[in-house]
């Protein structure tokens, strides 16, 4: 099992003929993802080189293919519109790769798309190794297994997962939730899903400075996840206040978003915080129960 | 984009929030002429981005044109310094405003609450004070309301807040409409923050925004090109300008100031991705050193960008060694390696001891390019951090 997607999830690509959309469609297909088609307004009725049909609207694509998942590659000004279109067409889960959708657009999207899970924006997507990849991650780093992983950053995900894989700790699902200030799916949403997934035996939470999502995650773990070991990492612990570091959401402003508060929240909830990514596999391994053979 | 007071008030007037009468001026002559034409008591407010301008001597009072001219001459060109801004900021313009007789001061702001994903309104009758201080000393004096963006604003919210915050009676009639206008500004212009402190009740019964603090989401600026143009007039952060100049995003490069008691910030860092970039500077600190900067080359960087990034980081004279940490996903190792070799081949760049870690997509090809040029990459981020800190501090 995995969370949010499995090997039968039918996926469409919004923006399938654009530069990024076309490139990543091929990478996802190569990984084994069931891409059943895509959307580019005006190119309905055509197919891409690998044979998948292109539709004018998400509704046409869903009607024709029965897709439940969508991955979105559109410019920031079109991000909210793409998410609303996906919701209107009945998509259950939309992964939004687009970085820099205005925060106010996302506020309104989140408030008006009940029933649809949004992952991102500004995220690398999600992967259930060996099953499906709906995102832009390099699939070869990942390995099928029982560790759930949630991260605000793409490259830091690769860094941590690479260490896990080398240590023999495969992953059930890795969710890149995104680095923008307002995102659809939070750490807590993912933790809740992992809590109900029998194949996820342990979880890595990779956070960073800015916001209070990590503090919320720590509180949730304390109250609802007594049985699965969790290890955390916080990026940007040496960052000074007031500097925005790459991600729009990664900024310490006033007394909020400090690494001290995040580390404290996790530590008090019994979740060890690794000082460096390379410590994560060992911290996790010593907390995981041996799996009966 | 943070706006100056006069720009924030421009937006206030567009949505119908009352502001004091006055004029924006860039010369002493304009101030003199305005006061001569409008006799009365006036406040000269320095237009700067920094906080604490009053304590720094940036606010003066004038009752006649001659005094106004003299004070304006003193203020324009003056460098104001405060605790928050020890380097100071030069005053280039003034806002001349009527000096109002204040009956009461309140505070109102709207920000985005990331946790609930809703705009949150904060109101307190303790205007003129730092709201964080009020929150600490008198938490009961602060009233909040989270607005559902799907439903939007309705005047009951303003009434509820006015009563909960015990705003003096004089505010009550005007406040719900004023807050509605502020919410309109907040949503339409995509603000991260709108704050009126103080929101003044005058002795003659008017409710007016005496100050304006507005911070707009850069990602939404395209919706208002005229406001986006203001950006060009602002004293831009030098690091942000440098990042944009080489084709990076505004927040992809940041330098860090030296801190007393900490290791010197002499290690240049370059990584792909914000998370790995932050991880890299943390790794340098863990190894006992200090990162001089954060630089994220983003995803899919080509050789040219890597080269320019190298030049940007080494243009900081404090940098005595460099750590390039790449975990290729979209970014290809061969492109990064090519950029590094090209940067150093020019001969006109400042060469510093260089530590490279290169893994992920096309790492083998990249490592070959580096090996041919005489570089031996390290295997892990920790190893690289330890090595670069030793090199930065003079080891060979």
């Amino acid at each position: 099992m995995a969370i949010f997607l499995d090997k039968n999830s039918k996926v469409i690509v919004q923006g399938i003929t654009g530069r990024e959309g076309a490139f990543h469609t091929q990478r996802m297909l190569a990984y084994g993802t069931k891409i059943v088609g895509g959307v580019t307004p005006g190119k309905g009725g055509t197919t891409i080189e690998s044979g998948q049909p292109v539709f004018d609207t998400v509704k046409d694509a869903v009607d024709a293919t029965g897709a439940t998942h969508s991955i979105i590659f559109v410019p920031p000004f079109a991000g909210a519109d793409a998410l609303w279109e996906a919701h209107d067409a009945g998509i259950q889960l939309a992964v939004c790769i687009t970085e820099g959708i205005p925060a106010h657009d996302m506020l309104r999207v989140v408030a008006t798309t009940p029933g649809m899970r949004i992952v991102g924006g500004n995220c690398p997507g999600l992967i259930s190794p060996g099953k499906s990849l709906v995102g832009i991650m390099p699939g070869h780093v990942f390995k099928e297994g029982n560790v759930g992983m949630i991260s605000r950053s793409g490259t830091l995900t690769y860094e941590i997962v690479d260490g896990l894989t080398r240590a023999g700790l495969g992953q059930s699902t890795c969710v890149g939730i995104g680095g923008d200030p307002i995102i659809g799916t939070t750490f807590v949403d993912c933790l809740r899903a992992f809590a109900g997934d029998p194949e996820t035996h342990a979880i890595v939470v990779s956070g960073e400075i800015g916001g209070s999502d990590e503090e919320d995650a720590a509180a949730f773990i304390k109250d609802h996840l007594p049985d699965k070991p969790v290890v955390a990492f916080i990026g940007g612990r040496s960052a000074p206040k007031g500097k925005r570091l790459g991600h729009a959401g990664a900024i310490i402003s006033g007394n909020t978003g400090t690494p001290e508060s995040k580390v404290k929240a996790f530590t008090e909830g019994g979740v060890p915080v690794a000082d460096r990514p390379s410590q994560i596999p060992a911290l996790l391994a010593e907390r995981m129960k041996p799996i009966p053979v | 984009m943070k706006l100056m007071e006069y720009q924030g008030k421009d937006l206030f007037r567009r949505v119908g929030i009352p502001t004091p009468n006055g004029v924006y001026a860039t010369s002493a002559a304009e101030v003199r002429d305005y006061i001569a034409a409008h006799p009365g008591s006036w406040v000269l407010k320095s237009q700067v981005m920094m906080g604490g301008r009053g304590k720094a001597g940036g606010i003066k009072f004038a009752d006649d044109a001659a005094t106004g001219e003299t004070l304006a001459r003193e203020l324009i060109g003056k460098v104001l310094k405060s605790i928050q801004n020890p380097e100071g900021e030069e005053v280039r313009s003034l806002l001349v405003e009527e000096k109002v007789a204040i009956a009461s001061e309140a505070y109102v702001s709207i920000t985005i609450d990331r946790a609930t994903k809703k705009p949150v309104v904060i109101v307190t009758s303790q205007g003129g004070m730092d709201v964080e201080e009020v929150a600490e000393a008198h938490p009961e004096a602060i009233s909040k309301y989270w607005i559902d963006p799907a439903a939007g604003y309705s005047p009951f919210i303003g009434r509820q807040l006015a009563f909960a915050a015990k705003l003096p009676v004089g505010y009550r009639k005007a406040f719900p409409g004023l807050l509605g206008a502020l919410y309109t500004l907040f949503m339409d212009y995509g603000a991260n923050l709108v704050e009126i402190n103080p929101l003044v009740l005058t002795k003659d019964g008017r409710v007016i925004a005496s100050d304006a603090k507005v911070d707009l989401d850069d990602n939404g600026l395209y919706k208002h090109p005229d406001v986006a143009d203001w950006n060009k007039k602002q004293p831009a952060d030098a690091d942000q300008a440098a990042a944009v100049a080489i084709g990076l995003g505004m927040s992809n490069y940041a330098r860090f100031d030296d801190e007393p008691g900490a290791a010197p910030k002499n290690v240049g860092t370059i990584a792909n991705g914000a998370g790995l970039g932050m991880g890299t500077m943390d790794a340098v600190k863990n190894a006992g050193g200090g990162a001089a900067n954060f630089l994220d080359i983003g995803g899919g960087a080509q050789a040219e960008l890597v080269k320019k990034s190298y030049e940007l980081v080494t243009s900081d004279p404090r940098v005595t060694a460099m750590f390039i940490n790449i975990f290729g996903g979209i970014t290809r190792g061969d492109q990064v390696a090519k950029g590094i070799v090209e940067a150093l081949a020019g001969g006109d760049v400042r060469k510093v001891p260089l530590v490279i870690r290169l893994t992920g997509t096309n790492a083998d090809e990249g490592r070959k390019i580096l090996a041919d040029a005489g570089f031996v990459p390290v295997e892990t981020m920790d190893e690289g951090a330890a090595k670069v800190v030793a090199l930065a501090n003079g080891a060979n």
Side-chain angles (χ1 to χ4, degrees), chain A residues 92-174:
Chain A
Q92 291 164 18
L93 186 150
V95 170
C96 185
I97 304 297
T98 307
E99 173 177 0
I101 296 173
H104 285 253
D105 288 3
M106 283 305 289
L107 286 179
R108 289 190 296 132
V109 166
V110 168
T112 52
T113 53
M116 180 172 84
R117 172 161 302 287
I118 297 169
V119 178
N122 189 16
C123 81
L126 61 153
I127 178 170
S128 292
K131 299 185 179 81
S132 187
L133 160 63
V134 183
I136 59 172
M137 297 109 148
H140 68 273
V141 180
F142 298 81
K143 182 190 165 197
E144 199 166 351
N146 305 104
V147 178
M149 161 110 198
I150 322 164
S151 176
R152 276 167 71 180
S153 141
T155 40
L156 205 49
T157 306
Y158 316 156
E159 178 78 38
I160 293 169
V161 165
D162 189 50
L164 292 173
T165 299
R166 281 171 198 273
L169 296 164
Q171 305 90 42
S172 53
T173 302
C174 300

Side-chain angles (χ1 to χ4, degrees), chain B residues 57-140:
Chain B
I59 295 178
K60 305 280 181 194
F61 299 90
D63 291 331
D64 59 73
T67 313
E69 184 183 8
T70 308
L71 292 173
R73 216 176 283 288
E74 280 172 25
L75 285 172
I76 295 175
K78 187 178 176 179
V79 176
L80 298 182
K81 292 181 185 180
S82 69
I83 300 164
Q84 300 99 308
N85 191 344
E87 278 177 28
E89 186 181 337
E90 188 187 334
V91 179
R92 295 198 177 91
S93 59
L94 302 172
L95 188 57
V96 181
E97 283 191 337
E98 61 174 316
K99 190 180 165 197
V100 293
I102 296 170
S104 198
E105 296 181 315
Y107 168 103
V108 57
S109 70
I110 311 178
T111 52
I112 294 174
D113 179 19
R114 285 170 59 166
T116 59
K117 298 173 195 169
K118 286 175 181 168
V120 57
V121 184
I122 299 177
V123 179
T124 171
S125 53
Q126 317 260 324
M129 284 178 66
D130 183 339
V131 75
E132 282 172 0
E133 281 170 30
V134 179
E136 215 150 276
H138 302 283
E140 76 290 345

Side-chain angles (χ1 to χ4, degrees), chain A residues 24 77 100 102-105 107 152-153 155 159 181-184 236-238 240 243-244 246 249 275-276 278, chain B residues 112 114 117 186-187 190-191 217 219 222-223 251 255-256 272-276 281-282 285-286 294 330 357 382:
Chain A
H24 291 289
F77 73 85
H104 285 253
D105 288 3
L107 286 179
R152 276 167 71 180
S153 141
T155 40
E159 178 78 38
I182 302 296
I183 49 174
R237 282 166 76 173
S238 63
K243 299 258 186 192
R244 182 188 284 183
D275 287 328
R276 52 198 82 192
S278 58
Chain B
I112 294 174
R114 285 170 59 166
K117 298 173 195 169
F186 182 77
M187 293 305 283
D217 176 6
N219 291 328
Y222 71 89
K223 295 176 185 176
S251 56
R255 275 181 301 169
F256 305 131
N272 62 318
L276 192 62
M281 62 193 224
D282 293 346
K285 189 181 183 188
N286 282 334
F294 162 92
I330 301 307
R357 186 274 189 122
D382 292 350

